Amino acid sequence: MYYILYILLIVELEGKQLLTIKEIAEMAKVSRSTVSRALNNSGYVSEDARERINKVIEETGYAPSEQAKSLRTKKTKVIGVILPTIQTETSSKIVAGIDKELSKQGYQILLANTQLDKEKEIEYLDLLKARQVDGIILVATNTAPALVKKATDLTIPIVIIGQEIEGLISVMYNDYDASRELTSYLISKGHQRIAFIGVDESDRAVGLLRKQGFVDEMKANNLPINPVWIQKGIFDIDSGRQSMQRILTETDNTPTATFAVTDRLAIGAISYLKEKGVQVPDQMAIASIGASEISQYVDPPLTTVDYQNEAAGKEAAVQLLTTITAKNSIKKIMLNYRLIIRDSV
Amino acid sequence: MYYILYILLIVELEGKQLLTIKEIAEMAKVSRSTVSRALNNSGYVSEDARERINKVIEETGYAPSEQAKSLRTKKTKVIGVILPTIQTETSSKIVAGIDKELSKQGYQILLANTQLDKEKEIEYLDLLKARQVDGIILVATNTAPALVKKATDLTIPIVIIGQEIEGLISVMYNDYDASRELTSYLISKGHQRIAFIGVDESDRAVGLLRKQGFVDEMKANNLPINPVWIQKGIFDIDSGRQSMQRILTETDNTPTATFAVTDRLAIGAISYLKEKGVQVPDQMAIASIGASEISQYVDPPLTTVDYQNEAAGKEAAVQLLTTITAKNSIKKIMLNYRLIIRDSV
DNA sequence: AGTCATTGTGGAATCGATTCCATATATTCA
DNA sequence: TGAATATATGGAATCGATTCCACAATGACT
């Protein structure tokens, strides 16, 4: 009999089989119920039993399966985060902000990177639901009807960052006002002919609102806009170069300043200007939105708008957690921004 | 009877209770076993039953609980990724590489951000184990004995990025050779007095190996190293500024070139030099390791070493997946690097 | 007609926890 | 001393899937 037990023990240690609560119970000579109670500090457990259980846990390094636990309790302590990409400073700052807040409360992040594929945003909502996440934070790039419907129908708490979706908690950047203010600043510096490098308007926040802010402020100051001055790129540096090239070559009516909707676009534009020997800011001023870390180290340092992405992530996490623990009614949160004036204007 | 069923249905739809396989089975008038077989294409299912099941699934939008499934099958299709920080380009590129590879195979990433706290690396190994992840990728910053022991004892497949740990699959950067080659390049450009901005040596790869590469190459060329030239910072830009300040002020024997172990440190150093009116590269050449996206847009564009972090992440994911599906014996993978020559030297 | 393989199905056990409930003992108070 | 309460424990059901097994029905082949 002893031999058999011994052999079983060996096999178990060799195979490094994960321990279960049942085995811990047996070793501590109590029932599974008691182990569970000791583990969760719920109900009564005698000092005697508690000590034996702790000792066994200590020795074996047992950790209860989160798997099994959450099947029963319906809580996974996991939050799904859907991102368009992880490779930008904006995204990683948002994730960092989310993570800081969530980890305080013992939650973890399950990443869902769409790689800019809009279909996948919808797919991932389903997948995360199947994975029983306790909540979802969606860093949205668009407000397509299919996405809105899926997100609204979802039974899981969800917070949107970067776009406004009716009926859902949204954490938004103040794109319109920031854009007007930045345009206004350029005008106050004496610029009258101002170009604009934007992105596609299916991205309502970055594409549409920032453009509207620019256009409205120009109109409010009775300044004309040459169609060539309005360029559209995608979210990368090279696209900024190309846009600036078009601005300089496709019309004789060259602007004296350019407003790029992201730092990357601005950096691309500057890189083209340098190549062509155009002085920044003397011959062409540049301003953008984003306040990326390097914006202060490029030459010249960029005048930009700080959106405080980490704070956005944090705010989204806070909203989500309060929705999970106690129903939450706050629906829209408009974040602050901050104009950072440097040498590029 | 019909009323009761009807009311139950209403309640169910109203409350948006998550459906279970049991309900699907009832609606399709088959057993749970049959639904499961249909879902997984295992065993026999008649065409007739299959159609009814698919119809019900279609109508209800049912998705099986991954939770319950993985409790039974012991597979979660989740990989834990432990990172020192998510806020650097290196990290996000690695994660992007990992994610691209994993998502192809239907795996997802569970993030564990240590925020540079070494204790947490160990904690998270336990937590991820409790969460039953199928594998772990550890982006390591050190090889402390406690960490090595925990990682080695783990019963879950694990791959290390950035450090070499005996007995585990490690994906490493060729820090020593890259460092020697970069130093050699500086020397070939005529520099004899070269300073070095490093980080703490508890980070074996970035701290120790890069320094050794530098020192060995200097020695091989019989070049002396002034102690003040060897500075130590942390992983941020400001730390590069401070190091450069010390290099310039704490000795009269000023170097003509500086090797910074990361782009950020180099950018900080350049920023200080500019402030003091020191010409780069004429009065001080700068070279670093990292090839961050902005390294080509700073002024002057940085000479740096490209480590291809995304490829590193991808390689780690590939190794991990093959270990999970079929035991894997490859133990060490040394990645390529590439010297990028620009104007800062 | 009888054996055998193929196809199809449902019941029941299982994964590893939590939690309700029944029961037993110890303690307190009138 | 007896009733009420507090403390302690284990048994059994449960969460939502998968999977083994037993059993039927059908068709094929001697």
Side-chain angles (χ1 to χ4, degrees):
Chain A
M1 188 57 183
Y2 277 98
Y3 283 110
I4 292 174
L5 280 177
Y6 185 66
I7 289 168
L8 282 176
L9 185 65
I10 297 284
V11 167
E12 214 144 70
L13 288 177
E14 285 289 304
K16 279 177 177 169
Q17 274 283 323
L18 282 197
L19 289 163
T20 72
I21 198 173
K22 195 174 156 223
E23 281 135 1
I24 301 300
E26 280 164 10
M27 294 185 194
K29 303 198 196 309
V30 290
S31 71
R32 283 137 75 210
S33 326
T34 305
V35 176
S36 176
R37 261 178 268 123
L39 240 32
N40 299 292
N41 281 323
S42 59
Y44 295 109
V45 179
S46 66
E47 204 42 52
D48 184 39
R50 192 179 296 273
E51 267 169 29
R52 287 202 315 275
I53 292 168
N54 286 340
K55 185 155 162 281
V56 172
I57 290 176
E58 179 84 11
E59 284 168 4
T60 56
Y62 163 78
S65 155
E66 290 291 329
Q67 204 70 221
K69 180 189 287 203
S70 59
L71 176 60
R72 184 71 226 261
T73 60
K74 305 275 155 210
K75 305 218 164 308
T76 53
K77 287 273 185 173
V78 170
I79 301 294
V81 175
I82 304 180
L83 294 170
T85 167
I86 179 79
Q87 297 230 46
T88 60
E89 203 177 322
T90 303
S91 291
S92 39
K93 279 194 175 160
I94 290 174
V95 173
I98 294 172
D99 183 74
K100 253 188 208 162
E101 195 62 29
L102 291 185
S103 62
K104 273 192 222 160
Q105 316 280 333
Y107 284 80
Q108 269 190 289
I109 291 178
L110 190 67
L111 262 196
N113 182 354
T114 68
Q115 295 176 71
L116 295 168
D117 178 345
K118 292 179 187 174
E119 292 284 305
K120 283 204 178 164
E121 290 186 341
I122 297 174
E123 261 177 54
Y124 274 134
L125 283 174
D126 277 328
L127 180 56
L128 291 174
K129 179 180 163 188
R131 287 206 187 271
Q132 258 77 43
V133 296
D134 290 345
I136 295 177
I137 294 177
L138 171 61
V139 180
T141 60
N142 69 93
T143 50
L147 175 67
V148 173
K149 179 164 178 5
K150 182 63 96 179
T152 314
D153 287 355
L154 212 65
T155 52
I156 301 170
I158 177 168
V159 172
I160 309 288
I161 297 184
Q163 306 279 342
E164 176 172 8
I165 293 187
E166 213 45 58
L168 296 178
I169 300 178
S170 311
V171 173
M172 298 165 295
Y173 301 106
N174 195 346
D175 287 289
Y176 181 80
D177 287 342
S179 183
R180 276 197 82 145
E181 190 171 326
L182 189 58
T183 309
S184 165
Y185 174 72
L186 287 170
I187 295 170
S188 78
K189 285 296 205 170
H191 296 285
Q192 308 245 329
R193 301 194 309 282
I194 306 177
F196 177 87
I197 303 177
V199 299
D200 193 81
E201 295 178 13
S202 68
D203 184 329
R204 199 168 175 278
V206 182
L208 188 62
L209 292 178
R210 292 188 193 177
K211 182 171 168 183
Q212 273 177 0
F214 166 74
V215 170
D216 289 356
E217 186 64 22
M218 289 295 272
K219 276 195 187 138
N221 287 272
N222 291 316
L223 295 175
I225 302 174
N226 182 320
V228 173
W229 296 349
I230 304 272
Q231 291 291 334
K232 184 158 59 177
I234 55 174
F235 287 92
D236 68 3
I237 291 178
D238 195 52
S239 174
R241 287 180 60 85
Q242 290 168 19
S243 297
M244 182 52 78
Q245 180 180 20
R246 288 193 296 269
I247 290 169
L248 290 188
T249 56
E250 292 181 3
T251 172
D252 294 336
N253 188 7
T254 39
T256 63
T258 299
F259 172 178
V261 295
T262 74
D263 283 356
R264 290 187 164 205
L265 290 171
I267 288 171
I270 289 178
S271 127
Y272 179 80
L273 292 170
K274 269 198 185 168
E275 206 174 290
K276 296 297 167 189
V278 180
Q279 294 296 316
V280 179
D282 300 341
Q283 295 171 278
M284 175 73 85
I286 301 273
S288 60
I289 294 181
S292 57
E293 193 181 10
I294 44 92
S295 66
Q296 61 185 304
Y297 297 104
V298 293
D299 179 49
L302 267 177
T303 289
T304 184
V305 175
D306 184 7
Y307 266 181
Q308 302 164 58
N309 292 299
E310 202 175 325
K314 185 191 154 114
E315 183 62 36
V318 167
Q319 290 303 322
L320 188 61
L321 290 180
T322 57
T323 308
I324 288 170
T325 54
K327 287 294 156 204
N328 186 358
S329 57
I330 300 174
K331 286 296 178 216
K332 306 292 161 204
I333 289 160
M334 185 72 90
L335 295 165
N336 280 332
Y337 60 90
R338 197 167 51 94
L339 189 59
I340 300 177
I341 293 172
R342 300 209 189 93
D343 307 338
S344 68
V345 175
Chain B
M1 190 53 184
Y2 277 96
Y3 282 110
I4 292 173
L5 280 178
Y6 186 65
I7 289 166
L8 282 176
L9 184 66
I10 296 284
V11 167
E12 214 143 71
L13 289 177
E14 286 288 306
K16 279 176 176 169
Q17 272 284 321
L18 281 199
L19 290 162
T20 72
I21 198 173
K22 194 174 157 225
E23 281 135 4
I24 302 299
E26 280 164 11
M27 293 185 195
K29 302 198 195 312
V30 291
S31 71
R32 284 138 74 210
S33 325
T34 306
V35 176
S36 177
R37 261 177 267 125
L39 240 31
N40 299 292
N41 282 323
S42 59
Y44 295 110
V45 179
S46 66
E47 204 41 54
D48 184 39
R50 191 179 296 272
E51 268 170 29
R52 288 202 314 276
I53 292 168
N54 285 340
K55 187 157 158 280
V56 172
I57 289 176
E58 180 84 11
E59 285 169 3
T60 56
Y62 163 77
S65 155
E66 290 292 329
Q67 204 71 223
K69 180 188 288 201
S70 59
L71 176 60
R72 186 68 228 259
T73 61
K74 306 274 154 210
K75 305 220 163 307
T76 54
K77 288 270 183 177
V78 170
I79 301 295
V81 175
I82 303 179
L83 294 169
T85 166
I86 179 77
Q87 296 231 48
T88 60
E89 204 177 323
T90 303
S91 291
S92 39
K93 279 192 176 162
I94 290 175
V95 173
I98 294 172
D99 183 75
K100 253 186 208 164
E101 196 61 29
L102 291 186
S103 63
K104 272 193 222 161
Q105 317 279 334
Y107 284 81
Q108 271 189 287
I109 290 177
L110 190 65
L111 263 197
N113 182 354
T114 67
Q115 296 175 74
L116 294 168
D117 178 344
K118 292 178 187 174
E119 292 283 306
K120 281 203 178 166
E121 288 185 343
I122 297 174
E123 262 177 52
Y124 274 133
L125 282 174
D126 277 328
L127 180 57
L128 291 174
K129 179 181 165 189
R131 287 206 187 273
Q132 256 77 45
V133 295
D134 291 346
I136 294 177
I137 294 177
L138 172 60
V139 181
T141 60
N142 68 93
T143 50
L147 176 66
V148 173
K149 177 161 179 12
K150 183 62 97 178
T152 315
D153 287 354
L154 212 65
T155 51
I156 302 171
I158 178 167
V159 172
I160 309 288
I161 297 184
Q163 306 280 343
E164 177 172 6
I165 292 187
E166 213 45 57
L168 297 178
I169 300 179
S170 311
V171 173
M172 298 165 296
Y173 301 107
N174 195 344
D175 287 289
Y176 181 80
D177 288 342
S179 183
R180 277 196 82 144
E181 190 171 326
L182 189 59
T183 308
S184 164
Y185 174 72
L186 288 170
I187 295 170
S188 77
K189 284 297 207 172
H191 296 284
Q192 308 245 330
R193 301 195 307 282
I194 307 177
F196 178 87
I197 304 178
V199 299
D200 193 81
E201 295 178 13
S202 69
D203 183 330
R204 198 167 176 280
V206 181
L208 187 62
L209 292 178
R210 293 188 191 175
K211 182 171 169 185
Q212 273 178 0
F214 167 74
V215 170
D216 288 357
E217 186 64 22
M218 289 293 274
K219 275 194 188 141
N221 287 272
N222 291 315
L223 295 174
I225 302 174
N226 182 321
V228 173
W229 296 349
I230 304 271
Q231 292 292 333
K232 183 157 61 175
I234 55 174
F235 287 91
D236 68 4
I237 291 178
D238 195 51
S239 172
R241 287 179 61 84
Q242 290 168 19
S243 297
M244 182 51 79
Q245 181 181 18
R246 287 193 296 269
I247 290 169
L248 290 189
T249 56
E250 292 181 5
T251 170
D252 294 336
N253 188 6
T254 40
T256 62
T258 298
F259 172 0
V261 294
T262 75
D263 283 357
R264 289 187 167 205
L265 290 171
I267 289 171
I270 289 180
S271 128
Y272 179 81
L273 292 170
K274 269 198 185 168
E275 208 174 288
K276 297 296 166 188
V278 179
Q279 295 295 317
V280 180
D282 299 341
Q283 295 172 275
M284 176 74 84
I286 301 274
S288 59
I289 294 182
S292 57
E293 195 181 9
I294 45 90
S295 65
Q296 61 184 303
Y297 298 104
V298 293
D299 181 50
L302 267 177
T303 288
T304 184
V305 176
D306 184 8
Y307 266 181
Q308 301 163 58
N309 292 298
E310 202 175 325
K314 185 190 154 113
E315 184 61 35
V318 167
Q319 289 303 322
L320 188 60
L321 289 179
T322 57
T323 308
I324 289 171
T325 53
K327 287 293 157 204
N328 187 357
S329 57
I330 299 174
K331 287 296 179 217
K332 307 291 160 204
I333 289 159
M334 186 71 90
L335 295 164
N336 279 331
Y337 60 90
R338 195 167 52 94
L339 189 61
I340 300 178
I341 293 172
R342 300 212 189 92
D343 308 338
S344 67
V345 176

